[in-house]
Amino acid sequence: MIIQNKRVLLTGASGGIGSELAIALANKGAKLVLLDRDAVALESLASKLTSMGADVRQIIADLSNTSVIADVIDEAVACFDGLDILINNAGILDFSLYENISSARIALTMQINTIAPMLLANALLPLFKRKGSGLILNVGSTFGSIGFAHYAPYSASKFAIRGFSQALRRELVGSGVSVLYVAPRATTTSLNNDSSVDLMHKQGTKMDSPQVVASKMIEAIEKERAETYIGQPESFFARLNALFPKLVDMGLKAKTLEARALFKK
């Protein structure tokens, strides 16, 4: 797909990956509808992109509120008289013992990471199918293929969005609408708290910059690659986990015990 002049709705636009992806899309000549709940950060990003010559609109919305979804799509479509690409990038995560996470936080994680992307796609699909073209990119995670200790709600939400992406892609075959899934590994963004970052450094976990992740997403869009897994050996272990999960259990045991010790301090 040629990105130039494509009308793009990007959620979670002001975050680490989101802001770098917005810049990368702007450099490719996309027309951007940026969505985030942080009005100040969104305005700052929009100003930067405008100074680069990008055509940018802003939508301030909280995707934890299901009732805003239809209005978000209507507003996004009205910005440029249509949309060509939906990028479901907004997300939250927690590094914690599962029993310490509140029920409200568990529900919020599933809402932001899974339900909102599904509802946005649902609301936009009639438009895409009428014009016989469109692209939906769902941002997943390596943890959407490997259930990782102390990230249980996040892993569950990303497993779900991976399954949704696969099922919807198969449903839309021949429609002209593409559904892509991109799974970054650990990334240097504010989603990761200090404890999790310290542990990753201690265990030798590789982390990508948001710029690297954004470039991989641009490549996935341009090549309309159905699934993209970023980084090695994480991509290998994601596939290994599907075939031999007990091997991955054993491989992660020491790291899990090391992480568990953090919560006893």
Side-chain angles (χ1 to χ4, degrees), residues 15-235:
I17 293 174
S19 59
E20 292 299 331
L21 182 55
I23 292 168
L25 288 164
N27 285 332
K28 289 287 185 176
K31 298 179 179 180
L32 298 172
V33 183
L34 307 178
L35 185 149
D36 206 285
R37 65 178 183 175
D38 187 333
V40 174
L42 196 60
E43 176 60 36
S44 176
L45 175 61
S47 296
K48 179 177 181 178
L49 294 170
T50 300
S51 70
M52 295 167 49
D55 199 350
V56 181
R57 304 290 186 274
Q58 302 174 54
I59 298 177
I60 301 166
D62 185 349
L63 296 179
S64 67
N65 182 0
T66 299
S67 67
V68 308
I69 298 295
D71 290 339
V72 161
I73 293 298
D74 288 345
E75 186 176 350
V77 169
C79 286
F80 295 113
D81 193 28
L83 281 173
D84 302 296
I85 299 173
L86 166 65
I87 303 177
N88 284 312
N89 171 70
I92 60 174
L93 66 78
D94 293 290
F95 172 64
S96 177
L97 291 173
Y98 184 63
E99 63 264 31
N100 291 344
I101 304 175
S102 71
S103 58
R105 184 69 179 182
I106 293 168
L108 180 63
T109 300
M110 298 304 295
Q111 169 65 26
I112 298 296
N113 295 1
T114 307
I115 302 300
M118 292 177 68
L119 293 179
L120 287 166
N122 179 258
L124 188 55
L125 260 180
L127 170 65
F128 280 0
K129 292 182 78 172
R130 279 197 302 271
K131 67 191 186 79
S133 66
L135 185 147
I136 299 166
L137 189 157
N138 294 320
V139 180
S141 169
T142 299
F143 290 1
S145 298
I146 303 172
F148 215 87
H150 308 115
Y151 294 92
Y154 181 75
S155 287
S157 70
K158 294 302 185 179
F159 265 80
I161 204 67
R162 179 169 63 91
F164 167 66
S165 300
Q166 185 180 85
L168 186 61
R169 182 185 310 121
R170 290 169 175 168
E171 181 175 328
L172 294 174
V173 66
S175 70
V177 182
S178 300
V179 180
L180 314 185
Y181 174 79
V182 177
R185 61 180 175 184
T187 308
T188 54
T189 73
S190 59
L191 282 181
N192 299 297
N193 63 26
D194 291 341
S195 295
S196 64
V197 172
D198 289 344
L199 183 64
M200 283 188 275
H201 286 319
K202 184 178 179 180
Q203 295 180 340
T205 301
K206 295 179 180 179
M207 301 182 73
D208 292 317
S209 69
Q211 293 92 335
V212 166
V213 175
S215 70
K216 294 293 185 182
M217 290 181 178
I218 293 293
E219 183 180 330
I221 293 170
E222 290 180 328
K223 295 183 178 180
E224 295 192 50
R225 186 180 295 134
E227 293 190 346
T228 300
Y229 294 83
I230 301 174
Q232 292 292 353
E234 291 82 1
S235 298

Side-chain angles (χ1 to χ4, degrees), residues 150 256-265:
H150 308 115
T256 298
L257 294 175
E258 189 175 11
R260 185 183 301 168
L262 291 175
F263 301 109
K264 294 181 179 180
K265 293 180 179 179

